Amino acid sequence: MQWSWRQAFFCITGILGSEKNESCEPFTRSCCGRVSPLYWRVPILVWALFVLIWSMSFFWGPTQMFFLYMTHWGLAFIVLESSFGIFVAIGRRGLTDATFGLPWYVKTYWILYNITIPVSFLITVFYWGILKTSANTVNFAPNPVLDIMLHGVNSAVMLVELICSAHPSRLMHVMQPLYFAGAYMLFSVIYFFAGGLDPWGNPFIYPVVDWSKPEQTMVVITLTALFLALMHVLTVGIATVRDAIAKRRDSLTTGVYNDAFTP
């Protein structure tokens, strides 16, 4: 498959390059026939809002430090992603025809979807695989139930969104979650050089991302970025299998097959 300069540009920038050729219809339905996306997006939103309020109420530090952590960024993105997903599902009759491109709120939902799912997977693996095993570990979630909600159930609910949705996931959108990670990295750098401390008075947000040790931190960040890209590839793979199963099941071929290589 030969890439044009246009496709390469969309890959590098992460722009939704083919939205003018994209139909709104797959964004408003489930891959499971006539089941409405509201059946899972509303419970996800309720869950996310509940956990967000719960975690803010029992946060171990000052409230203004709550959004120091990527876990809480990820939770906020689940709230945004499910909110826009609900809006898209409810407003399906008013969606613009594909001839004129996807409406802004469908594009916004798609970008949030592309970011939130792999980032949720990353947060779960990063937390249990790195932070919990770190020699300098701190107690990020004193409540064990809340700990599982923030770092385990987050991936489970996003997996439900991924498996039940009908719209495509594209390999060329890998830059979108990486931009999210880059924004968080930039935030952590600015916070460190501004003299920011964590709730325990440490000069870092996460012990494995300590900018007073730049070489070690850059290794962690590089490996994390590669793993996040892998999580995006996994997301695309699951979506491709999902769509293949739906297409095979649907004798009328009303499902949309996931073309991962389309920009």
Side-chain angles (χ1 to χ4, degrees):
M1 176 180 174
Q2 294 184 343
W3 279 18
S4 66
W5 67 267
R6 184 173 178 272
Q7 290 173 311
F9 172 78
F10 289 139
C11 181
I12 294 171
T13 60
I15 294 174
L16 300 179
S18 62
E19 71 273 5
K20 288 186 178 180
N21 301 318
E22 204 68 57
S23 170
C24 293
E25 188 268 341
F27 294 87
T28 65
R29 64 175 176 83
S30 166
C31 70
C32 306
R34 297 181 178 274
V35 177
S36 169
L38 296 176
Y39 282 109
W40 72 84
R41 289 178 188 164
V42 170
I44 288 176
L45 177 59
V46 171
W47 173 86
L49 287 172
F50 172 75
V51 174
L52 183 63
I53 295 171
W54 183 12
S55 55
M56 280 184 169
S57 301
F58 288 88
F59 183 56
W60 53 87
T63 304
Q64 62 268 26
M65 289 187 174
F66 182 79
F67 283 108
L68 288 181
Y69 299 97
M70 180 178 278
T71 295
H72 299 150
W73 283 36
L75 184 59
F77 264 66
I78 293 176
V79 171
L80 290 174
E81 190 271 349
S82 55
S83 297
F84 272 91
I86 291 169
F87 185 75
V88 169
I90 292 176
R92 59 188 302 172
R93 293 182 180 178
L95 295 178
T96 305
D97 184 81
T99 304
F100 304 100
L102 297 177
W104 67 269
Y105 48 88
V106 178
K107 294 179 185 178
T108 302
Y109 163 69
W110 197 4
I111 291 172
L112 289 169
Y113 172 94
N114 290 335
I115 292 173
T116 307
I117 293 175
V119 166
S120 294
F121 295 164
L122 171 69
I123 287 171
T124 297
V125 175
F126 185 87
Y127 181 76
W128 296 105
I130 298 179
L131 288 181
K132 276 292 190 179
T133 59
S134 172
N136 298 321
T137 188
V138 294
N139 192 5
F140 289 101
N143 186 312
V145 177
L146 183 58
D147 198 11
I148 294 174
M149 289 286 184
L150 289 169
H151 305 106
V153 179
N154 64 319
S155 289
V157 297
M158 284 295 96
L159 183 61
V160 170
E161 168 77 293
L162 173 59
I163 292 175
C164 294
S165 295
H167 56 81
S169 295
R170 301 273 166 74
L171 283 175
M172 296 184 73
H173 294 160
V174 66
M175 292 306 299
Q176 293 170 11
L178 290 178
Y179 285 151
F180 170 90
Y184 184 81
M185 181 192 72
L186 180 61
F187 164 75
S188 71
V189 172
I190 294 172
Y191 189 76
F192 171 78
F193 284 104
L197 304 174
D198 75 351
W200 295 276
N202 298 309
F204 50 73
I205 298 175
Y206 292 109
V208 295
V209 184
D210 184 354
W211 288 107
S212 65
K213 304 173 183 177
E215 296 85 0
Q216 171 186 306
T217 298
M218 285 306 301
V219 170
V220 172
I221 286 177
T222 301
L223 293 176
T224 301
L226 292 173
F227 189 79
L228 180 57
L230 179 61
M231 292 299 96
H232 178 78
V233 173
L234 175 64
T235 298
V236 172
I238 294 173
T240 302
V241 172
R242 172 204 72 197
D243 293 345
I245 293 173
K247 186 176 181 179
R248 185 173 182 178
R249 184 194 62 236
D250 191 349
S251 60
L252 298 177
T253 64
T254 55
V256 178
Y257 184 74
N258 182 62
D259 183 2
F261 294 95
T262 303

